[in-house]
Amino acid sequence: MAAATATATAAEEEARLLRLEEQAEQGGGGAWEYLSLARRLRARRPAPVLRLGLSLLNDASARSRLASEQWTLYEQVAVAAMDCQRLDVAKDCIGVLSKQFPGSARVGRLEALLFEAKGDWAEAERAYALILENNPFDQIVHKRKIAIAKAQGDMSLAVDYLNKYLELFMADHDAWRELAEIYVSLQMYKQAAFCYEELILAQPTIPLYHLAYAEVLYTLGGLENLQTAKKYYASTVQLTGGKNTRALFGVCLCSAAISQLTKGRNKEEESSELQSLAAEALMKDYKQRAPSMEALVAGMLKNMKLS
């Protein structure tokens, strides 16, 4: 119930943001209200933010009415300008903020972002290193260093930075998932499996983690990994109410592979009904949603001796 309410509220606020944007773009006022809401929702709409933000900053009377909030607007416009490759505007906004807040780490991050936008990775790295000297726990800066490594295509360095980041911020689930995905891209499946184990321990009811873990184990192969993969495919099916086609296929594929490896020696696998139920659910799913593929799936399951 709470999740449904939160989703409805988010949709309402997004709709309100779009209405305010249209109103402000057509000269009907509400530019500051729109910009404030965009910030609160963390909505990435750089073009309208840049246009409407500049219209306020270039109007001396409007800017003075904002009082201290004008500095927040300068920052918002600077980021939007970098997204739009208006680096001249970003540089001007950052220059104003630098004069107002000399030595500010927040402004320092903006200056480093500008180096990134220019593709000057070495200068960006140096700028971030200076910030970390004063505050080794600046989470945003650590994330930017990871982003720089990925932007340069240096996945090994990104892995190093992510591991160092997770030593400081172990509860960041998004970072664990990102590290797992990089490991998969580098075919480092054992390391990826470890990341997904951490995610499942932290958030055991998220089916995506169970599915990803199962697929990594299936890729690794071997009887023990296949048996564990089958269990996690099954848990994905359970967590999604039997509606995850990928997990149903995973149960079937693991069952067929285990059968080949054991050659009938494993009585528990022989007597298990899980693969039969998964095969039946797959056939029902394809019959309802893609009847033209039903015969193909039936043939595949037959070849796996599951139907």
Side-chain angles (χ1 to χ4, degrees), residues 154-212:
D154 192 339
M155 292 299 108
S156 296
L157 183 60
V159 165
D160 288 342
Y161 283 160
L162 269 165
N163 277 305
K164 289 174 183 175
Y165 173 85
L166 285 166
E167 287 175 8
L168 299 173
F169 309 101
M170 292 187 66
D172 191 330
H173 304 136
D174 290 335
W176 280 110
R177 182 179 172 187
E178 184 176 7
L179 181 57
E181 290 173 353
I182 293 176
Y183 276 139
V184 168
S185 73
L186 296 173
Q187 299 183 2
M188 299 171 69
Y189 298 115
K190 289 183 179 179
Q191 292 86 341
F194 175 80
C195 295
Y196 285 122
E197 287 167 3
E198 290 290 323
L199 285 167
I200 291 169
L201 282 171
Q203 296 179 299
T205 60
I206 296 182
L208 174 66
Y209 299 155
H210 289 248
L211 179 62

Side-chain angles (χ1 to χ4, degrees), residues 111-152:
E111 291 170 340
L113 275 174
L114 185 56
F115 285 128
E116 283 191 61
K118 293 176 179 177
D120 194 341
W121 310 118
E123 284 298 325
E125 283 270 16
R126 276 192 284 272
Y128 287 135
L130 285 173
I131 296 171
L132 290 176
E133 282 181 12
N134 296 318
N135 181 11
F137 299 99
D138 191 315
Q139 195 169 5
I140 294 174
V141 169
H142 281 288
K143 287 183 175 182
R144 292 314 312 164
K145 285 169 66 69
I146 296 164
I148 287 175
K150 291 177 68 178
Q152 295 178 89

